[in-house]
Amino acid sequence: MARNDRSGRRRSARPVYRTNGAAAYDVRYSPRELEYGGAARRYPEPERKPRSRPRSRPKPKAKLSVSPLAVAGMLAVAFMLVFVMCGYVQLYEETAAVADLQDQIEVAQEYHGRLQAIYDSKVDLDAIGQRAAALGMTEPNSRQTILLNLQGTDRAVITGVGSENVVQTAWNAIVRSVRTLKEYFS
């Protein structure tokens, strides 16, 4: 049995479930609407009070200022960095020079060893003894031999070394570094 609603549309007498096939009962619809398949009634939503947000003040723009002390510190660090790099360059150059000199020393020692061997092979002690006898030389006897006994320790005195002031030593080191930098970059 079908009934007509106010709009003249025909409604079925069966209840219409608005649950997408689930057996759960939708509490938003009245039983009368479910029974006749009417449109869902909207319940008024509670009034929402607008939230008042605190107005945010625009933040003042930060002024960019650089401290003169920071600039001086950065310059000092850069200056020291240049000195350290130049020191490493000098150290590398000196190390290479030392290695070259050590190679030269080895070559010279080998040459010295060969010359010493040639010299020793040319010395003839019998010929030297004959020549000394021809010149009237004789071997010393026990009365002509003098033994010298030195007791005590050896010591050496180095003179002429003056002590410099610490400030003067630092100043001289800075002057040498500046000269070296000038020579290196020119």
Side-chain angles (χ1 to χ4, degrees):
M1 170 158 131
R3 294 186 186 169
N4 291 334
D5 62 357
R6 291 182 193 169
S7 65
R9 288 187 288 175
R10 191 171 182 176
R11 305 261 175 174
S12 71
R14 288 185 310 189
V16 176
Y17 295 106
R18 301 187 187 272
T19 59
N20 292 331
Y25 186 72
D26 195 355
V27 294
R28 292 181 293 186
Y29 301 105
S30 68
R32 187 171 159 219
E33 288 174 349
L34 287 176
E35 184 177 332
Y36 299 111
R41 185 188 320 166
R42 291 198 167 245
Y43 291 104
E45 292 185 13
E47 289 183 27
R48 294 184 183 175
K49 294 181 181 177
R51 294 183 186 172
S52 62
R53 291 184 182 176
R55 289 187 178 184
S56 61
R57 295 181 183 169
K59 294 182 180 178
K61 292 184 180 179
K63 294 180 180 178
L64 182 63
S65 62
V66 180
S67 171
L69 186 61
V71 171
M74 291 295 182
L75 288 175
V77 167
F79 190 67
M80 287 182 193
L81 183 64
V82 168
F83 273 118
V84 167
M85 287 191 308
C86 290
Y88 278 123
V89 168
Q90 287 177 346
L91 179 65
Y92 176 75
E93 290 173 352
E94 294 301 323
T95 303
V98 167
D100 290 342
L101 290 175
Q102 286 176 340
D103 291 342
Q104 289 177 3
I105 287 173
E106 289 176 10
V107 169
Q109 285 177 342
E110 289 176 9
Y111 186 66
H112 172 70
R114 285 186 297 205
L115 289 178
Q116 188 68 39
I118 292 170
Y119 176 76
D120 290 341
S121 69
K122 299 290 182 181
V123 174
D124 185 15
L125 294 179
D126 293 332
I128 293 173
Q130 290 174 1
R131 176 75 176 144
L135 293 174
M137 294 182 181
T138 59
E139 298 223 11
N141 58 19
S142 62
R143 294 175 78 211
Q144 294 174 330
T145 305
I146 299 172
L147 295 177
L148 182 61
N149 186 5
L150 296 175
Q151 293 180 351
T153 59
D154 291 338
R155 72 175 194 189
V157 177
I158 301 172
T159 60
V161 176
S163 62
E164 289 185 355
N165 187 1
V166 175
V167 176
Q168 186 178 7
T169 305
W171 177 253
N172 290 338
I174 291 172
V175 168
R176 275 180 286 170
S177 298
V178 169
R179 284 182 188 158
T180 306
L181 276 175
K182 185 178 175 184
E183 290 174 6
Y184 183 76
F185 288 114
S186 59

